[in-house]
Amino acid sequence: MTRLLLIGPPGAGKGTQAVRLAEAYGVPAISTGDIFRSNVKNETELGKQAKAFMDAGDNVPDSLTNALIRDRLAEADAQGGFLLDGYPRTADQVRELDEYLASHGEALDVVVELVADPDVVVERLRKRALEQGRSDDDESVVRHRLEVYREQTEPLIDIYDERGLLVKIDALGAIDEVTARITDALSGRGIGLPDAATA
Ligand code: AMP
């Protein structure tokens, strides 16, 4: 049973690592950004409400985001653990997640911070804009997303650090290397890979 949270600036590689880690630990990767993007694509009511905030690089309001994550965490596949990517992003979302988990007798095991230099993430996002054409990877929007991260999300790192849950990982380097850094750090905290137990 592993409950992980990935935190870090846009472009640090959260999405990439989330998919790999979720597979390694046998839990679903839950990305609020992916859920919002799929709602926008399918033109759902939620997508219509979220789109303008996303295009501007602003956070979607907490009321919408919290409702979405409550529904997602209640699904069957999340009962045996999960990896949250991109949530919580605000102090209000931390409170919401705390309350949700506490009311189910659960708690987070570890919070992984992916640490990356702003210049590097801007460059990575510039490349992603060319490859994937995400509308919020436009350069001025990227700069705004970094500001929003610094103002609203970075302060959450101290909260989790004070709880003794924080593991800081250098996000620079090859994708495999970064994954190995994370799995090593987690095994140092007693969170092993399911396969390693039988090896
Ligand atoms: P991401 O894929 O995590 O970079 O998220 C893309 C966009 O989705 C963000 O810029 C926000 O507009 C929105 N979003 C994703 N997760 C959240 C969240 N936890 N709270 C508010 N907005 C979010």
Side-chain angles (χ1 to χ4, degrees):
M1 180 89 60
T2 313
R3 296 189 188 88
L4 299 174
L5 203 155
L6 267 186
I7 200 162
K14 290 189 303 295
T16 304
Q17 294 300 329
V19 171
R20 298 165 70 93
L21 294 168
E23 198 183 327
Y25 291 98
V27 293
I30 300 177
S31 155
T32 41
D34 281 351
I35 298 173
F36 280 131
R37 273 185 292 280
S38 117
N39 276 277
V40 169
K41 197 170 155 212
N42 295 320
E43 298 180 355
T44 67
E45 193 49 43
L46 177 66
K48 284 178 197 158
Q49 289 176 316
K51 188 175 186 315
F53 296 101
M54 296 174 74
D55 285 347
D58 283 316
N59 282 336
V60 175
D62 288 328
S63 54
L64 293 178
T65 312
N66 286 334
L68 173 156
I69 207 78
R70 272 184 174 266
D71 287 349
R72 182 63 188 86
L73 290 180
E75 284 180 32
D77 67 337
Q79 303 316 305
F82 52 75
L83 187 160
L84 285 177
D85 157 19
Y87 182 98
R89 254 176 159 89
T90 65
D92 187 67
Q93 292 178 17
V94 170
R95 273 191 296 277
E96 173 76 16
L97 181 62
D98 284 345
E99 275 175 31
Y100 180 90
L101 292 175
S103 70
H104 291 75
E106 298 168 358
L108 290 173
D109 295 306
V110 70
V111 174
V112 175
E113 180 195 357
L114 289 180
V115 181
D117 184 271
D119 290 342
V120 174
V121 302
V122 168
E123 180 54 24
R124 279 191 186 175
L125 292 173
R126 204 182 58 79
K127 281 201 190 126
R128 188 170 76 183
L130 296 175
E131 288 163 12
Q132 298 180 9
R134 247 176 74 166
S135 56
D136 61 350
D137 279 344
D138 172 84
E139 198 171 328
S140 65
V141 180
V142 162
R143 256 183 266 121
H144 183 61
R145 285 163 64 207
L146 280 168
E147 261 171 45
V148 170
Y149 175 79
R150 263 195 297 274
E151 282 172 15
Q152 301 193 29
T153 307
E154 218 167 47
L156 312 184
I157 291 170
D158 286 343
I159 298 177
Y160 289 118
D161 198 14
E162 280 162 20
R163 295 184 192 177
L165 290 176
L166 190 72
V167 168
K168 279 183 188 285
I169 301 289
D170 177 4
L172 297 192
I175 291 172
D176 279 346
E177 266 172 47
V178 177
T179 308
R181 278 178 211 146
I182 298 171
T183 53
D184 285 352
L186 296 196
S187 76
R189 294 190 145 236
I191 303 169
L193 292 166
D195 289 344
T198 52

